[in-house]
Amino acid sequence: MDQYLKEQKAWIDEKIYKKINEFTSEGRLRDSIIYSMKAGGKRLRPMLMKATFESFSDSDPLYVSPAIALEMLHTYTLIHDDLPAMDDDDMRRGRWTNHIEFDEATAILAGDSLLTMSFELISSDPSLSSEQKVFIVHQLSRAAGPKGMVAGQMWDMQYEDLETDVDTLKRIHSNKTGKLIAFSIITGGYLAGLEEGKLQKLKEIGEAVGLIFQIQDDILDVTGDTAKLGKATGSDESNLKSTYPKLLGLEGAKQEKQKYERRVEELLGDLEADETPLADLIGYMSQREY
């Protein structure tokens, strides 16, 4: 799996940097965009889209532009998350955040550029039909907008330093993290030609995987290896954040994650996809150590 992830990341990075150079002009703005794109992300979201497509189709890879667009949009969210008005973080993945390396205005514009480029990339792809473009743009804008990720970010800020409960935490992360992960899986299945009933199962898988991913993040903040994580453990507790281990205890958090893992296994079985690239990648995300 480590070799697979390395190969997929290299493929995605090559496509991303090619498109950034094509869609931007040389200068400080491009430098800022590329700086954050090179900040060391795993590229799991585009990998999920590719793995889903390949689990159900062996036809031409229609997922390329949507997968790259998704990673661009995800990176925009990280740039804006780090800003002083939001999380006010100086470091991300062991490097200065964009607004520290450049400046706050440049960071905002770099994020804006990645957001808008993502939709330009999808809408200008000659391999996609007009119907496919409309579907993907609609799904992505909903997943990223005020009924999706942006809502999750808003609730996350509102509940910062406040006591919360598991249902509220689930609502926050289902939107902030889960909606874009669900988009990646739904879009891979849609482009593979799956019918509506199967897409609904993929949507439920994506929503569950988003929660699995977040719960594992919270568990690693308690039990993880700092060298592997690339950041200090215990930061959530020191920042007074509500997490699954804090609300349920470490064992309770693991049991909560297992509940979603069992549902994903059941749904993959319904789709006859329990021995596919998608199943393998979800398994890795559930048990990852960093």
Side-chain angles (χ1 to χ4, degrees):
M1 179 55 72
D2 285 342
Q3 183 61 29
Y4 172 83
L5 294 173
K6 184 177 179 180
E7 290 171 357
Q8 298 307 310
K9 184 178 185 303
W11 169 84
I12 293 163
D13 285 349
E14 178 188 358
K15 300 288 186 183
I16 285 174
Y17 301 134
K18 180 180 178 181
K19 285 299 179 183
I20 290 173
N21 288 326
E22 180 183 328
F23 284 19
T24 62
S25 301
E26 289 186 19
R28 184 175 177 82
L29 180 61
R30 180 190 286 183
D31 292 344
S32 175
I33 291 167
I34 291 177
Y35 178 82
S36 284
M37 289 303 315
K38 290 186 173 181
K42 301 181 185 72
R43 312 301 195 219
L44 289 175
R45 289 158 186 81
M47 286 185 202
L48 276 170
M49 189 183 297
K50 181 175 184 288
T52 305
F53 181 92
E54 292 176 346
S55 296
F56 298 101
S57 174
D58 57 5
S59 62
D60 292 341
L62 296 174
Y63 53 79
V64 177
S65 290
I68 297 167
L70 175 58
E71 190 65 15
M72 287 180 171
L73 189 145
H74 173 60
T75 302
Y76 126 75
T77 72
L78 303 182
I79 295 172
H80 282 199
D81 258 354
D82 291 335
L83 290 169
M86 294 189 67
D87 288 348
D88 195 17
D89 283 326
D90 290 348
M91 302 292 291
R92 177 173 288 278
R93 297 166 180 156
R95 307 172 78 209
W96 294 119
T97 50
N98 197 298
H99 68 277
I100 297 294
E101 180 70 17
F102 292 88
D103 57 71
E104 191 172 343
T106 302
I108 291 169
L109 293 173
D112 292 345
S113 298
L114 286 165
L115 172 61
T116 50
M117 269 196 293
S118 67
F119 293 105
E120 180 183 4
L121 184 56
I122 295 165
S123 61
S124 62
D125 185 347
S127 67
L128 297 174
S129 69
S130 296
E131 182 180 347
Q132 288 169 332
K133 291 174 184 178
V134 170
F135 177 91
I136 296 166
V137 166
H138 176 69
Q139 291 290 325
L140 182 55
S141 57
R142 280 183 64 87
K147 288 188 176 180
M149 180 203 66
V150 171
Q153 290 176 313
M154 188 74 241
W155 293 325
D156 195 31
M157 290 192 299
Q158 286 180 311
Y159 282 96
E160 193 170 325
D161 299 334
L162 297 177
E163 289 293 329
T164 188
D165 54 36
V166 172
D167 287 341
T168 301
L169 195 61
K170 178 181 176 181
R171 181 177 66 151
I172 291 169
H173 293 304
S174 291
N175 285 275
K176 185 178 179 181
T177 304
K179 288 293 176 70
L180 287 182
I181 288 177
F183 165 80
S184 68
I185 293 175
I186 292 166
T187 302
Y190 168 77
L191 291 173
L194 297 189
E195 50 87 20
E196 181 62 27
K198 292 183 177 181
L199 290 180
Q200 285 302 314
K201 290 183 185 293
L202 284 179
K203 179 183 179 186
E204 189 176 345
I205 288 172
E207 290 169 349
V209 170
L211 291 169
I212 290 168
F213 185 87
Q214 183 60 51
I215 296 169
Q216 184 67 3
D217 250 9
D218 289 354
I219 291 170
L220 288 173
D221 192 67
V222 177
T223 66
D225 182 331
T226 298
K228 289 182 179 180
L229 291 172
K231 62 178 182 179
T233 56
S235 60
D236 288 341
E237 183 176 354
S238 62
N239 291 332
L240 304 179
K241 286 189 175 182
S242 290
T243 66
Y244 286 91
K246 181 178 179 181
L247 296 177
L248 299 174
L250 184 58
E251 287 308 311
K254 291 178 180 179
Q255 290 171 13
E256 185 76 0
K257 187 183 71 156
Q258 289 166 1
K259 178 178 74 176
Y260 294 114
E261 289 171 341
R262 288 193 294 271
R263 181 56 180 156
V264 168
E265 288 175 6
E266 180 183 339
L267 289 163
L268 287 170
D270 292 345
L271 293 167
E272 298 181 349
D274 40 7
E275 293 185 8
T276 60
L278 176 60
D280 291 342
L281 188 52
I282 291 172
Y284 161 79
M285 292 173 67
S286 299
Q287 305 301 324
R288 63 195 170 87
E289 296 180 354
Y290 60 92

